[in-house]
Amino acid sequence: MTFRPVKATSEGQFTIEGAGVNLYRAFGFHKPREFDPFLLFDDFRNDDPKKFEKGFPWHPHRGIETITYVLDGEVEHGDSLGNKGVLGKGSVQWMTAGSGIMHQEMPRGNAAGQMHGFQLWANLPSSLKMTAPRYQDIQGSDIPEIIDDDGTKVKIVTGSFWGKRGPVDGIAADPLYLDVSVPPNTRKVLPVDTYANTFAYIFAGSASFRDASTPYGVRVEKEVNGEEVNIRDMSGNRTLVNFDTGNEIVVNSGPDGVRFLLISGQPIKEPVAWHGPIVMNTREELMQAFNELNNGTFIKDQRDH
């Protein structure tokens, strides 16, 4: 087994999208090769409906897939193909925009006005940029959860893990998307594909990602009154952890445990021409997409049955 070292960590940056949705962006619109095949990752959580209720009104997508995972509250969606639905607590929507779609996403808080969810954009290879759009809506009750002997819980949205497979399938990037909860002060080893680009996003608690040579991430930081003080090398809420290559990740949870998303996918290694919600391979394809958007030919007459 080869331990994956941490390549970089960063904090989600506050931004406003749609018609005024307050969110934190872990990455996006810069250095697309760094997270290939993934393009963007947003964390939208708030307990003030005024900061999210205007949502994401009608807008186009082409050349990508969007993955929406709702932890709390709801997201009502509709599109140009006539699809409508509501994503409830714990549910997932995997939308393949393909050749082009117009849609809207309108978040609603729970009874206490709270909303929490994530959206990930995955690139499509050139051979599938113009594929027929499709949706996969998965209820939270259909997402398998494994509870290990030490209390670690893993929800498998897509991909195979510990002998079980997630319900979302037929995805071009063939990703692994896990929701992982590790109890306090626990060391956990999680297997991943050696060469898939992999990142973790911590959204509750804290953890370090270290190998066995530095258990629980403890290191000597400084001296206080002549005595050494050991400080955990921890990452916490809204922290993105980007890993190097290897086939296992070692998690050392903090005193309150940790909950994070673990996501990996095989890089596409193709040129990226990207502007706003449309991602193609060349500038010419990008210009064609926007020309079609302007002249009313953006939506193609094809559906996935």
Side-chain angles (χ1 to χ4, degrees):
M1 302 294 285
T2 306
F3 164 72
R4 268 187 184 248
V6 173
K7 185 160 56 175
T9 62
S10 58
E11 303 300 315
Q13 299 299 304
F14 175 78
T15 188
I16 298 177
E17 288 288 359
V21 178
N22 288 217
L23 54 81
Y24 283 81
R25 177 157 294 151
F27 64 86
F29 295 105
H30 303 288
K31 300 178 181 179
R33 291 186 179 182
E34 185 174 358
F35 294 96
D36 184 14
F38 307 113
L39 298 164
L40 175 148
F41 181 82
D42 285 343
D43 175 353
F44 51 98
R45 73 175 99 165
N46 213 292
D47 57 7
D48 182 357
K50 293 180 181 179
K51 294 181 179 179
F52 61 78
E53 63 186 1
K54 292 184 179 180
F56 305 92
W58 293 99
H59 59 280
H61 282 296
R62 175 179 285 181
I64 65 171
E65 299 182 281
T66 66
I67 304 93
T68 306
Y69 180 27
V70 179
L71 289 187
D72 213 344
E74 297 178 335
V75 176
E76 183 178 3
H77 67 88
D79 69 31
S80 53
L81 301 179
N83 296 307
K84 294 181 179 180
V86 176
L87 299 177
K89 182 176 181 178
S91 61
V92 174
Q93 181 190 85
W94 202 293
M95 184 194 75
T96 302
S99 62
I101 202 165
M102 297 287 293
H103 79 152
Q104 67 173 352
E105 300 158 299
M106 307 303 288
R108 299 195 298 244
N110 59 18
Q114 299 166 325
M115 176 70 207
H116 191 188
F118 306 100
Q119 188 166 92
L120 175 70
W121 290 14
N123 200 6
L124 282 169
S126 57
S127 60
L128 295 175
K129 287 289 188 187
M130 299 299 288
T131 193
R134 72 165 181 157
Y135 281 87
Q136 295 183 68
D137 286 351
I138 309 296
Q139 298 301 312
S141 58
D142 294 326
I143 298 175
E145 181 179 71
I146 301 173
I147 303 177
D148 208 5
D149 293 340
D150 61 5
T152 296
K153 299 179 182 179
V154 180
K155 295 182 179 180
I156 308 168
V157 175
T158 185
S160 296
F161 189 79
W162 285 349
K164 289 193 176 183
R165 186 164 186 84
V168 180
D169 61 8
I171 305 304
D174 192 23
L176 180 70
Y177 192 126
L178 308 177
D179 179 349
V180 182
S181 299
V182 182
N185 303 316
T186 300
R187 180 180 183 273
K188 197 69 186 175
V189 178
L190 304 174
V192 291
D193 184 278
T194 303
Y195 298 108
N197 280 339
T198 303
F199 68 89
Y201 181 77
I202 299 173
F203 60 94
S206 62
S208 66
F209 295 86
R210 297 275 180 169
D211 64 9
S213 64
T214 53
Y216 298 99
V218 175
R219 59 188 173 90
V220 175
E221 177 70 12
K222 60 184 178 179
E223 289 191 0
V224 178
N225 297 327
E227 295 183 2
E228 291 181 344
V229 177
N230 290 328
I231 298 179
R232 288 182 182 274
D233 186 15
M234 288 286 180
S235 295
N237 189 20
R238 294 195 178 100
T239 299
L240 176 73
V241 182
N242 192 13
F243 297 100
D244 212 330
T245 56
N247 60 10
E248 66 178 22
I249 288 170
V250 180
V251 185
N252 303 288
S253 63
D256 297 320
V258 67
R259 187 175 180 187
F260 61 95
L261 302 180
L262 182 63
I263 299 173
S264 70
Q266 295 293 335
I268 296 173
K269 299 180 180 179
E270 291 183 352
V272 174
W274 183 2
H275 184 75
I278 298 175
V279 184
M280 304 302 289
N281 293 106
T282 68
R283 185 172 181 271
E284 289 73 22
E285 291 171 338
L286 197 60
M287 291 177 64
Q288 179 182 346
F290 279 98
N291 285 337
E292 292 178 357
L293 192 61
N294 291 331
N295 65 26
T297 61
F298 183 78
I299 304 301
K300 307 304 177 185
D301 186 17
Q302 52 177 295
R303 302 188 186 199
D304 185 71
H305 297 287

